[in-house]
């Protein structure tokens, strides 16, 4: 999801989405088309998309977070071309069926956790601010991070931290979680951050020892990689010829899934090794647009979170399997 600079006034947040302009440049290829902002966040991308669209176009915003949906409701009241759906992008089929859209001209996914979520201590995403250990993008769903840590087996905790956080001390952390919860419930971000710091024997320079553990638990609790795999498959099935899927990732696990998915589609069906290629071999219905893009130095200087952002773009080719404009 978006990760940008935060400004706070009362309970209101505003931030600039990472790779904002370039993502929308790639996404919008028909100003009268139908588009999906599959990770609405606080509407940074959606507002810019609407600014590029004509009067007959439409944009659907999707998000798990009720706070994001409240912002989406306000935008829908302001602009009749915009509507919203409360759910995951894994529910894209359901959302598009409600809109009665068989296909769309573009889909944007801005993965991960947003600045407003990180900066709100009550959401429990960050070890930098003490608050309840929640981590749910949709607080109406269960379990919270605290609830899961209170009940999960030591092996399961270690496996999650290793798989989704690539934390080499995952077993030490899990062992201490199980021991500590017998003394007191682990219910706050500070408790977990201090526990992880105690369990990790070697500290990385310029990196908090709890970074990987918090990432791993958040990804697991919100089923982020599972939803991503489902969402990508649904998205490409729903693209019209010439339509584009634009995905912005913020860590290597996400980007690995996106990169392999797009690469395999662009390659098309692969014959087993040793079988000669024939002239009538089925061509791919997709192509990659450009190379993986990253935020520029100015954007990273303004917002350190932008340094890990990677954007990839996939386009569905015309139904005759030729790119637009080809002979």
């Amino acid at each position: 999801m978006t990760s940008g600079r935060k400004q706070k006034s009362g309970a209101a947040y505003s931030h600039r989405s990472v790779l904002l302009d370039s993502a929308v440049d790639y996404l919008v290829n028909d100003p009268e088309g139908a588009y999906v902002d599959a990770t609405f966040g606080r509407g940074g991308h959606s507002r810019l998309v609407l600014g590029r669209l004509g009067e007959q176009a439409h944009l659907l915003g999707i998000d798990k977070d009720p706070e994001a949906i409240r912002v989406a409701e306000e935008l829908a009241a302001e602009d009749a071309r915009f509507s919203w759906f409360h759910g995951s992008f894994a529910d894209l089929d359901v959302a598009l069926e409600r809109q009665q859209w068989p296909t769309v001209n573009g889909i944007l996914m801005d993965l991960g956790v947003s600045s407003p979520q990180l900066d709100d201590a009550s959401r429990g995403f960050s070890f930098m601010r003490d608050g309840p250990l929640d981590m749910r993008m949709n607080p109406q769903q269960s379990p919270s991070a605290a609830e899961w840590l209170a009940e999960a087996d030591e092996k399961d905790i270690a496996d999650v931290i290793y798989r989704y956080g690539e934390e080499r001390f995952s077993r030490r952390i899990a062992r201490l979680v199980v021991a500590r919860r017998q003394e007191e419930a682990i219910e706050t971000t500070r408790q977990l951050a201090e526990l992880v710091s105690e369990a990790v024997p070697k500290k990385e320079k310029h990196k908090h020892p709890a970074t990987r553990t918090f990432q791993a638990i958040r990804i697991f609790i919100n089923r982020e990689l599972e939803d991503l795999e489902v969402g990508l498959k649904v998205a490409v099935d729903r693209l019209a010829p010439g339509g584009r899927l634009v995905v912005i990732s913020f860590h290597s696990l996400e980007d690995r899934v996106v990169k392999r998915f797009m690469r395999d589609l662009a390659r098309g069906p692969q014959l087993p090794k040793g079988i000669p290629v024939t002239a009538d071999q089925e061509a791919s219905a997709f192509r990659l647009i450009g190379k993986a893009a990253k935020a520029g130095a100015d954007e990273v200087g303004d917002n350190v979170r932008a340094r890990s952002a990677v954007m990839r773009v996939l386009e569905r080719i015309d139904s005759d399997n030729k790119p637009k404009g080809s002979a």
Side-chain angles (χ1 to χ4, degrees):
M1 196 173 289
T2 56
S3 180
R5 181 177 53 208
K6 179 222 45 166
Q7 295 173 329
K8 185 174 179 180
S9 176
Y13 290 83
S14 65
H15 65 291
R16 182 171 178 81
S17 303
V18 170
L19 294 166
L20 175 63
D21 295 292
S22 54
V24 176
D25 287 342
Y26 278 114
L27 181 73
V28 178
N29 52 56
D30 180 356
E32 299 299 335
Y35 296 88
V36 179
D37 183 351
T39 45
F40 177 78
R42 296 304 182 266
H45 285 113
S46 284
R47 288 184 175 85
L48 187 56
V49 170
L50 289 169
R52 306 277 184 91
L53 298 182
E55 294 183 359
Q56 302 305 312
H58 202 88
L59 173 65
L60 173 66
I62 300 175
D63 210 286
K64 295 179 179 180
D65 191 338
E67 293 295 328
I69 293 302
R70 277 190 269 276
V71 178
E73 289 173 334
E74 294 174 359
L75 183 55
E78 298 169 6
D79 195 323
R81 299 172 299 166
F82 179 80
S83 56
W84 55 269
F85 177 85
H86 185 198
S88 166
F89 46 67
D91 304 317
L92 183 60
D93 261 339
V94 176
L96 293 182
E97 288 298 329
R98 290 189 183 181
Q99 296 294 123
Q100 298 183 336
W101 295 351
T103 60
V104 294
N105 299 91
I107 300 170
L108 171 66
M109 296 180 179
D110 188 8
L111 306 175
V113 64
S114 70
S115 286
Q117 290 170 327
L118 282 170
D119 295 325
D120 184 351
S122 69
R123 302 300 300 273
F125 285 105
S126 175
F127 50 79
M128 301 298 292
R129 294 167 178 81
D130 191 28
L133 189 59
D134 195 310
M135 296 196 192
R136 291 172 293 181
M137 291 180 180
N138 183 357
Q140 298 168 3
Q141 297 179 338
S142 291
S144 69
E147 290 169 340
W148 178 70
L149 285 175
E151 299 293 337
D153 292 339
E154 180 179 321
K155 181 180 182 302
D156 291 340
I157 295 171
D159 288 348
V160 164
I161 295 173
Y162 182 78
R163 178 182 178 189
Y164 298 122
E166 299 178 309
E167 172 57 72
R168 59 181 176 144
F169 299 112
S170 60
R171 292 186 180 182
R172 295 173 69 109
I173 295 168
R175 191 178 309 122
L176 187 55
V177 165
V178 171
R180 188 64 52 81
R181 74 188 184 188
Q182 295 176 5
E183 303 170 4
E184 61 176 351
I186 303 169
E187 296 179 335
T188 71
T189 55
R190 178 177 295 170
Q191 284 177 292
L192 180 59
E194 291 177 350
L195 182 153
V196 174
S197 294
E198 182 180 338
V200 173
K202 295 181 180 180
K203 309 298 190 289
E204 294 180 61
K205 191 175 182 179
H206 305 307
K207 191 167 191 175
H208 193 288
T211 300
R212 289 191 172 94
T213 296
F214 270 68
Q215 171 189 293
I217 295 174
R218 188 205 81 218
I219 290 173
F220 172 76
I221 290 295
N222 294 288
R223 294 180 50 84
E224 292 179 40
L225 294 186
E226 291 88 347
D227 280 8
L228 176 59
E229 290 174 351
V230 173
L232 290 172
K233 293 175 183 177
V234 176
V236 296
D237 286 343
R238 290 289 195 157
L239 284 179
R244 290 177 173 178
L245 171 63
V246 180
V247 184
I248 303 172
S249 307
F250 285 87
H251 61 73
S252 60
L253 292 177
E254 293 172 336
D255 185 55
R256 202 174 299 149
V257 172
V258 176
K259 178 181 179 180
R260 290 174 178 171
F261 178 81
M262 290 187 173
R263 178 199 63 196
D264 291 348
L265 276 181
R267 284 179 176 175
Q270 297 296 298
L271 296 174
K273 290 183 179 180
I275 297 180
V277 177
T278 60
D280 59 351
Q281 182 181 1
E282 184 181 352
S284 172
F286 299 90
R287 65 171 177 170
L288 298 173
I289 302 297
K291 297 181 179 180
K294 297 187 177 183
D298 289 344
E299 187 171 7
V300 173
D302 185 53
N303 169 26
V304 69
R305 291 174 185 164
R307 66 186 176 188
S308 60
V310 179
M311 180 174 66
R312 299 183 186 274
V313 184
L314 183 76
E315 181 182 82
R316 177 178 283 276
I317 301 172
D318 283 343
S319 55
D320 61 356
N321 281 339
K322 294 180 182 179
K324 286 187 176 181
S326 62

